[in-house]
Amino acid sequence: MAVDNELDVKEAFQCAQKSHHNRAKLVASLKSSYNQLEDKELFHEEFVSYLKHAMIIYKREPAVENVIEFVVRFATSFQSLPKADNEDEEEEEEKEEEDDHPFLSFLFNFLLESHNACSHAVRFRVCQLINRLLGSMAEDAQIDDELFDRIHQAMLVRVTDKFPNVRIQAALAMTRLQQPNDPDCPTINAFMLILENDTNAEVRRAVLSCVAMSPRTLPKVLKRTRDVKENVRKLAYQVLADKVHVKALSIAQRVSLLEQGLNDISEGVREMVCSRLLPAWLLRLDGNIMELLHRLDVENCAQTALDMLNTIFKGMDTDELLQNQLPLDSRKLIPVQSLTCENVIYWRAQCKFFKEKGDDSDEMLEQVLPDAATFADYLYEYVGAVQLLSEEQKADLTQMELVMTKDFISQHLIHLIGCLDTNEEGGRKRVLAVLQEMLTLPQTPSSLVFLLTEKLLTLMPNDQRRIQTVAEIISDVRAPISEASQPVDENVSRRQQVQLAEVKVRILEAKQALEECIAAQDFGRAAELKDSITEQENQRNKILQEIAASNQQADIEIRVEKNDPETLLRCLAMCVELLKQLNIKNKISPTISALMTSLILPSIANAHPTVRSMAVVCLGTCALHSKEVANTHMVLLLQIAQLDEVKIRISALRAVIDLLLLFGFQLVSETGSDQKPQLPGSPDQEEEEEAETQMAQAEMRGEDTAQSILVMLSELLDSEVSELRTETAEGLAKLMYMGRMSSAKILSRLILLWYNPITEDDIRLRHCLGVFFQLYARDKRAHQEVIEESFLPTVHTLMNAPPTSPLAEVDVNNVVELFVELTRPSALMKPSAITEEASVHDYLAVRMCGEMLKDPTAPEVRLYAKTLSYLELSRNETVKKDMLSLLQQLVQVVKDRVTLRALEKMISQLADSKEQTELLSESTLQPLNANADDTVADEPAKSAKRCRRGQRKPSAAKGGRKASKRAESSEESDGENVPDSPPVVRPSRKAKIAALEKTKLDLNPLLNQEANLS
């Protein structure tokens, strides 16, 4: 129908429900009618009376939403348009008066009077209207202070409403009521409280979308990036990208955002960081990637910086990548004096990105990286220039920072070796020679030894060559070649001096005689004396040569073994890296055995703790390559795990766990059996009996050793050192999951440790055990049987815990619910195909009934009775009969009323289930349609009851919340806060049809009522 120039209120509301009508024309027509009225009160009352029809409908129907939109447009149409900047004070006063329009004030008053209505639909529509009204006002709109305070107080009440959608609209309504500059702003305080404590994810999202950024709210928004809901995390990153400048964040906050966002389990969150957060940061830094790296402090977050650069490179085209920001010279190298932490990590990330793209990017890689030989010389030049600091220089922080920076740059230059083209023989040989030379240089920092050894071994595919090369380097480092001086014999030196003096005297005497003969003109005698002087001088020169030769120090090359901690650490580091790179299937070579004897085992007794720790790692890694070595040194590792310092004990404990994971507990039991006596000849009967006795004793010793290992590990679970406790718990979880051991007692200890309040701050322990319980229980039925066996010991421990024990604070109901969920048959990854087979829940039910029969007055009887209703019992008729018999016995002996009601309910459920099974078995010969027609109308209640069995929501979280409370809080949350329910037994076809029929009958009156209202 066409819209007239003037409309009455009823007609306007009818037209507004239809989306095809032009709302602007409707608003203009109704406003024209309103302006012509003299008595505005009647219009107000009529308008509100029609509005009430829409406000009582909670469902987001299109017609209702259209009416709400129309009301908002009509109410805000009375506001005046914004004035120009040069308007005078009189115009501002007139504007203020116009803003406070009577209809708008009346509508706000009506909504504020209705916000306390009993109906959640009315409360929702009130908050929605206030939100839309305030949001539709102009940016410079003003309202009365009293009205502002009333709206403020009403919405502060509604943000604590029971229904999430009401809280959402109330929070959105307070968007324009925030005062970020006020440290005591109630709206900001309410928003921060909601972000921290509200259980509904959509409410937290609503507050995130409207909260004003300030130093007070920023930490709360940052915390939402670690929210449990994916949508909340995504919105938190979007808000930070749009509203927060990168300079407003601290270095730690920037690094945390990138580290968590780029490694988030959700693809949507990672995409938000890549597409919104990083581009926003780069935009605010004028696209300068180096500046962004500088603001991340890459020295302390290298991996995060590499992940970020890789993400940025993926969004750039080839031309942008080649137009890099690196100061490369003609050799395609960064000058040594220009190397910084930022440009070297950019260089590494760029080269790695090109390398991983494949053959198509070889040309691009050649433009930013030189050939292997040139780069090897460049690396040797930089690393060789690093100087070792003296003790005085180490006390200087400036010198230490400089050395740490050079160390960081050296590490990433070494990583670039992996991007070089080493297919060319000459380049590869030069790189190998440089790596070996740097490993032997004394000024090479110890922190580079692992990395240099890794790159060296990567270029050598042959294990024998690897072993030989590393052994030679270790020999050169530990026992370098040095020149020693041979001492001079003092007797020989004295005799030579005497001879020289005698010759000199004879020469002087002969010269004097020569002068006398010349003066006497006795030329014959003078000629003889001259010959004598020449002979004496020759003799003198010979003696001088002998003296000079004897005085020269005779240098000989000798090897002096060095045992200082620095040298031993370098050698052990190379040995560890070598053992990691070797194929574990190969046996221990003689060279490795020699290293064990000369280096590893002596270092275990070293006085320096760091050396001992590295030696233990070496020994454990070496034992993984040989069962004989593991057998020989297992006892030593166990002793170290109990007696040494914490760091060394952890290393030994990890080695023991790894050996048990690889070889199993048979490793310790075979130690005795391997020592089987071999008697010469054919043994008689007595010798055979003696051999069998020795074999039995050896097996008993092996079992005792395995038992002692478990006892030691169990004791370490009670250690006061959190690191030891965590390593032990993680090791036991690995052993149980891999099937190396199966112990209900150990599993009970792990569950109690997980719930123990003293481990609340141990995030790694909590996370490890939480993942282990789920994987272990879902893997196979045998694991669920172990969990079922540990149920009663765990409950008894908690119930009998003294008041002073931390376990007294644990919620036993929560622990029981965890056991029920872990042992649920439908939770198995490969459920049993035999449906009639007795399930683990069946055995758990029998155990609990047996415990209740032992002591019907025990305090845990009520807990057991309540737990029975959570179980998924099988369809086995024998099990049902046994359960009914046990329950009937319990009803006769139990006196507690709550327990009796629970038992009677369980009996009725079992009886109903049994009757339904009989009916189904009788009707299997009939056609399917007949079954549907005959039985649906007879047993709707029983079908509904069967559908509800086994569908209790899991509540295994540490907060101890009840499942019913979760369900209640998420009833109206639009499906965002409903936890994933566990898979349950599928109801029968008759149950589905009966439930559908019942739903149809109940919905018809409600639909008619809504039609009448609209």
Side-chain angles (χ1 to χ4, degrees):
M1 107 182 161
V3 179
D4 300 328
N5 293 333
E6 297 181 4
L7 293 175
D8 58 5
V9 179
K10 180 178 180 180
E11 189 176 359
F13 271 88
Q14 289 177 345
C15 295
Q17 298 179 50
K18 302 175 182 179
S19 59
H20 63 273
H21 280 293
N22 191 324
R23 294 193 185 88
K25 292 182 179 180
L26 285 177
V27 169
S29 300
L30 188 60
K31 185 176 181 181
S32 175
S33 301
Y34 176 81
N35 292 332
Q36 295 178 7
L37 294 176
E38 296 181 359
D39 187 3
K40 310 292 185 183
E41 297 296 330
L42 293 177
F43 181 88
H44 295 169
E45 298 296 335
E46 185 180 5
F47 190 91
V48 167
S49 65
Y50 289 114
L51 177 60
K52 289 179 179 178
H53 289 285
M55 292 177 62
I56 63 175
I57 300 177
Y58 181 72
K59 191 176 180 180
R60 305 294 289 265
E61 295 287 351
V64 179
E65 298 301 318
N66 292 335
V67 170
I68 297 296
E69 177 66 22
F70 166 72
V71 171
V72 171
R73 286 196 179 192
F74 178 73
T76 54
S77 67
F78 293 101
Q79 284 190 306
S80 60
L81 295 175
K83 302 291 183 181
D85 295 337
N86 57 354
E87 65 180 350
D88 53 16
E89 296 180 358
E90 294 180 359
E91 290 178 344
E92 291 181 358
E93 293 178 357
E94 291 177 1
K95 179 176 176 294
E96 292 178 2
E97 293 177 358
E98 291 176 357
D99 284 340
D100 194 13
H101 194 274
F103 178 79
L104 195 59
S105 301
F106 172 79
L107 185 59
F108 271 121
N109 290 332
F110 164 72
L111 294 175
L112 293 175
E113 291 172 359
S114 306
H115 85 91
N116 279 325
C118 296
S119 171
H120 64 278
V122 175
R123 300 197 301 273
F124 167 70
R125 295 299 177 181
V126 166
C127 295
Q128 183 187 26
L129 280 168
I130 293 177
N131 169 35
R132 302 289 293 276
L133 286 171
L134 293 177
S136 300
M137 290 183 178
E139 293 185 3
D140 57 349
Q142 299 179 6
I143 60 176
D144 185 65
D145 290 342
E146 182 182 355
L147 179 60
F148 178 91
D149 294 337
R150 291 179 61 197
I151 295 175
H152 203 177
Q153 294 299 324
M155 294 301 99
L156 286 175
V157 174
R158 292 277 66 83
V159 291
T160 61
D161 198 275
K162 175 182 177 181
F163 287 84
N165 281 338
V166 179
R167 301 199 298 274
I168 291 173
Q169 295 300 327
L172 295 175
M174 290 197 297
T175 302
R176 302 188 67 174
L177 307 181
Q178 301 177 83
Q179 298 176 4
N181 297 327
D182 184 6
D184 298 324
C185 175
T187 302
I188 297 292
N189 294 336
F191 280 174
M192 291 194 298
L193 191 65
I194 292 172
L195 287 176
E196 192 74 24
N197 300 316
D198 200 290
T199 58
N200 188 272
E202 288 303 311
V203 179
R204 300 195 296 274
R205 290 186 75 247
V207 174
L208 274 177
S209 65
C210 63
V211 65
M213 287 295 104
S214 68
R216 293 178 60 213
T217 58
L218 181 58
K220 302 296 181 182
V221 176
L222 289 173
K223 192 172 183 179
R224 288 306 100 205
T225 59
R226 302 186 297 274
D227 197 277
V228 295
K229 291 293 183 179
E230 172 189 351
N231 290 336
V232 180
R233 299 197 299 274
K234 284 177 60 177
L235 184 60
Y237 279 106
Q238 181 179 343
V239 169
L240 290 170
D242 296 340
K243 298 183 180 181
V244 181
H245 197 285
V246 62
K247 295 180 180 180
L249 300 169
S250 65
I251 291 177
Q253 290 170 342
R254 297 175 199 137
V255 173
S256 177
L257 284 174
L258 290 177
E259 184 177 359
Q260 295 167 9
L262 294 175
N263 298 302
D264 197 280
I265 59 174
S266 169
E267 178 65 28
V269 176
R270 297 196 298 271
E271 180 62 27
M272 179 63 67
V273 175
C274 299
S275 61
R276 295 293 294 272
L277 185 66
L278 281 176
W281 285 3
L282 284 174
L283 182 64
R284 291 183 173 96
L285 296 175
D286 300 328
N288 193 334
I289 300 178
M290 290 296 178
E291 179 67 19
L292 180 58
L293 288 173
H294 180 70
R295 295 187 178 277
L296 290 182
D297 188 17
V298 295
E299 289 186 65
N300 297 319
C301 59
Q303 188 57 47
T304 303
L306 288 172
D307 294 340
M308 182 199 71
L309 289 171
N310 189 50
T311 302
I312 294 175
F313 292 156
K314 288 180 180 178
M316 300 171 64
D317 54 23
T318 304
D319 296 335
E320 291 177 333
L321 284 172
L322 292 178
Q323 293 175 358
N324 57 69
Q325 305 177 19
L326 294 174
L328 298 178
D329 57 14
S330 58
R331 298 180 301 166
K332 302 173 187 176
L333 294 170
I334 300 176
V336 174
Q337 62 274 12
S338 301
L339 278 172
T340 63
C341 297
E342 288 77 19
N343 59 29
V344 74
I345 202 169
Y346 185 96
W347 194 16
R348 176 192 169 188
Q350 190 179 47
C351 294
K352 183 180 179 182
F353 181 77
F354 289 151
K355 185 77 173 179
E356 292 176 350
K357 287 187 68 174
D359 297 335
D360 298 339
S361 60
D362 287 346
E363 296 181 358
M364 293 187 290
L365 185 61
E366 291 176 357
Q367 298 183 30
V368 295
L369 197 64
D371 59 273
T374 303
F375 185 82
D377 295 335
Y378 173 76
L379 176 63
Y380 184 79
E381 176 188 358
Y382 186 83
V383 177
V386 178
Q387 297 180 354
L388 296 176
L389 296 181
S390 62
E391 294 298 329
E392 295 180 357
Q393 291 175 328
K394 289 181 179 179
D396 188 359
L397 294 179
T398 304
Q399 292 288 338
M400 285 297 296
E401 289 179 0
L402 183 61
V403 169
M404 292 173 64
T405 301
K406 290 185 176 180
D407 190 6
F408 179 85
I409 295 174
S410 301
Q411 289 182 22
H412 290 279
L413 290 177
I414 295 171
H415 277 294
L416 278 171
I417 293 176
C419 300
L420 296 174
D421 183 11
T422 55
N423 293 325
E424 194 266 325
E425 184 68 20
R428 184 172 67 256
K429 287 184 177 181
R430 180 56 186 160
V431 173
L432 288 173
V434 166
L435 291 175
Q436 295 181 44
E437 182 67 22
M438 286 192 294
L439 283 172
T440 56
L441 286 176
Q443 65 265 31
T444 302
S446 301
S447 56
L448 302 180
V449 173
F450 277 108
L451 195 55
L452 289 170
T453 309
E454 178 190 350
K455 297 302 179 184
L456 176 67
L457 297 177
T458 303
L459 297 175
M460 296 180 181
N462 186 271
D463 278 356
Q464 292 299 325
R465 187 183 175 192
R466 290 176 172 180
I467 295 172
Q468 188 65 29
T469 303
V470 173
E472 291 175 357
I473 297 174
I474 290 176
S475 176
D476 293 339
V477 171
R478 194 180 182 195
I481 298 175
S482 60
E483 294 181 351
S485 301
Q486 185 176 3
V488 180
D489 191 350
E490 295 181 358
N491 296 327
V492 174
S493 177
R494 190 179 297 109
R495 186 169 56 253
Q496 289 175 346
Q497 292 294 336
V498 171
Q499 291 177 359
L500 180 63
E502 291 177 352
V503 171
K504 286 182 178 181
V505 170
R506 286 196 296 267
I507 291 174
L508 289 174
E509 291 177 350
K511 286 183 177 180
Q512 291 177 359
L514 178 62
E515 291 176 358
E516 293 175 356
C517 290
I518 292 174
Q521 295 184 355
D522 187 358
F523 297 107
R525 176 64 179 167
E528 293 178 359
L529 289 173
K530 189 176 181 180
D531 294 338
S532 176
I533 290 171
T534 304
E535 183 179 354
Q536 295 294 332
E537 286 179 350
N538 291 336
Q539 186 177 359
R540 182 192 64 182
N541 293 335
K542 183 178 180 181
I543 295 174
L544 287 174
Q545 290 177 358
E546 291 179 357
I547 292 175
S550 62
N551 288 335
Q552 288 181 355
Q553 297 180 352
D555 297 332
I556 57 175
E557 294 183 352
I558 61 172
R559 288 184 178 270
V560 180
E561 189 174 90
K562 299 166 63 176
N563 290 316
D564 59 289
E566 183 71 20
T567 302
L568 291 177
L569 280 174
R570 292 165 64 91
C571 297
L572 290 170
M574 286 186 278
C575 188
V576 168
E577 193 61 36
L578 172 64
L579 292 170
K580 288 181 180 178
Q581 297 285 344
L582 294 179
N583 190 346
I584 199 171
K585 296 181 180 180
N586 295 339
K587 294 183 178 181
I588 294 293
S589 66
T591 306
I592 298 295
S593 300
L595 287 175
M596 279 276 296
T597 306
S598 62
L599 176 64
I600 299 175
L601 292 178
S603 298
I604 289 180
N606 194 281
H608 201 278
T610 310
V611 176
R612 293 204 305 275
S613 178
M614 187 67 71
V616 169
V617 175
C618 274
L619 180 60
T621 311
C622 189
L624 292 173
H625 291 264
S626 171
K627 201 169 186 179
E628 292 75 13
V629 175
N631 276 328
T632 305
H633 300 289
M634 173 63 84
V635 177
L636 176 60
L637 291 173
L638 291 172
Q639 291 176 349
I640 297 173
Q642 291 178 291
L643 301 176
D644 216 316
E645 296 184 4
V646 173
K647 182 180 178 181
I648 306 173
R649 293 174 66 186
I650 291 175
S651 300
L653 183 60
R654 289 174 179 171
V656 171
I657 295 296
D658 289 342
L659 292 176
L660 293 177
L661 284 172
L662 183 61
F663 301 114
F665 281 89
Q666 295 82 2
L667 175 68
V668 294
S669 63
E670 290 176 358
T671 305
S673 60
D674 290 342
Q675 300 174 356
K676 178 179 178 180
Q678 297 182 359
L679 301 177
S682 63
D684 55 14
Q685 186 175 359
E686 294 181 357
E687 292 175 344
E688 289 181 357
E689 293 177 356
E690 184 178 356
E692 292 177 358
T693 303
Q694 292 180 358
M695 291 279 295
Q697 292 177 354
E699 292 178 359
M700 291 179 63
R701 286 195 300 270
E703 294 177 359
D704 292 342
T705 306
Q707 188 66 25
S708 63
I709 293 176
L710 290 179
V711 171
M712 182 202 74
L713 295 176
S714 180
E715 291 176 351
L716 288 177
L717 289 177
D718 297 327
S719 174
E720 296 180 357
V721 183
S722 61
E723 292 84 0
L724 271 174
R725 190 170 58 229
T726 302
E727 287 294 337
T728 306
E730 184 177 347
L732 289 172
K734 291 178 181 178
L735 291 171
M736 294 191 67
Y737 183 72
M738 297 303 295
R740 291 302 185 182
M741 60 175 288
S742 178
S743 172
K745 292 182 180 180
I746 295 295
L747 183 61
S748 176
R749 292 290 305 278
L750 293 178
I751 292 175
L752 292 174
L753 185 65
W754 193 51
Y755 275 97
N756 200 321
I758 65 174
T759 64
E760 186 174 359
D761 296 331
D762 197 340
I763 300 175
R764 181 186 167 196
L765 174 65
R766 291 288 182 95
H767 178 72
C768 171
L769 292 181
V771 174
F772 161 69
F773 292 145
Q774 296 293 332
L775 296 177
Y776 184 74
R778 296 180 60 193
D779 188 41
K780 58 181 69 173
R781 174 177 171 142
H783 293 172
Q784 288 191 339
E785 292 175 355
V786 176
I787 297 174
E788 178 261 332
E789 187 179 351
S790 66
F791 172 74
L792 291 179
T794 305
V795 174
H796 288 162
T797 303
L798 292 174
M799 297 297 293
N800 298 327
T804 57
S805 172
L807 293 177
E809 304 175 13
V810 178
D811 184 6
V812 185
N813 293 313
N814 193 270
V815 179
V816 170
E817 291 177 3
L818 173 67
F819 273 98
V820 172
E821 295 304 323
L822 293 180
T823 55
R824 197 175 292 279
S826 55
L828 287 172
M829 289 188 289
K830 295 181 180 179
S832 176
I834 306 176
T835 57
E836 299 296 329
E837 182 184 6
S839 66
V840 178
H841 272 191
D842 296 337
Y843 294 111
L844 186 59
V846 172
R847 281 183 182 272
M848 287 190 289
C849 291
E851 285 294 312
M852 287 189 284
L853 286 173
K854 286 182 182 179
D855 188 2
T857 61
E860 58 265 26
V861 169
R862 181 180 294 188
L863 175 65
Y864 292 149
K866 180 182 177 182
T867 307
L868 287 174
S869 61
Y870 302 159
L871 303 179
E872 289 182 9
L873 300 180
S874 64
R875 301 177 183 178
N876 193 311
E877 291 300 322
T878 305
V879 173
K880 292 181 180 179
K881 291 180 181 179
D882 294 341
M883 281 299 302
L884 283 173
S885 176
L886 289 172
L887 292 173
Q888 290 170 358
Q889 294 179 33
L890 285 170
V891 170
Q892 297 176 1
V893 296
V894 172
K895 305 300 181 185
D896 183 64
R897 293 183 179 180
V898 178
T899 306
L900 281 174
R901 284 198 296 269
L903 294 175
E904 291 171 355
K905 181 180 178 181
M906 192 68 187
I907 291 174
S908 63
Q909 289 180 353
L910 286 175
D912 293 344
S913 177
K914 184 176 180 181
E915 292 176 4
Q916 184 193 7
T917 304
E918 293 176 355
L919 289 174
L920 290 175
S921 61
E922 292 174 359
S923 60
T924 51
L925 299 178
Q926 301 178 11
L928 181 61
N929 294 333
N931 292 340
D933 295 335
D934 295 340
T935 60
V936 166
D938 294 337
E939 297 192 64
K942 295 180 182 178
S943 300
K945 187 178 294 184
R946 288 193 300 271
C947 291
R948 288 195 297 271
R949 279 196 57 234
Q951 295 185 7
R952 177 178 168 83
K953 294 185 183 296
S955 180
K958 294 297 291 179
R961 298 188 184 95
K962 300 294 183 182
S964 59
K965 292 184 179 179
R966 282 186 177 179
E968 181 182 356
S969 65
S970 59
E971 282 180 357
E972 306 295 339
S973 61
D974 296 337
E976 293 293 337
N977 196 36
V978 180
D980 296 335
S981 59
V984 297
V985 178
R986 181 177 296 178
S988 64
R989 182 184 179 88
K990 300 181 184 62
K992 292 181 180 179
I993 298 175
L996 182 61
E997 291 294 331
K998 186 176 180 181
T999 304
K1000 288 181 180 179
L1001 292 175
D1002 291 342
L1003 282 180
N1004 287 332
L1006 183 59
L1007 293 175
N1008 294 333
Q1009 183 180 1
E1010 290 186 358
N1012 294 333
L1013 289 173
S1014 59

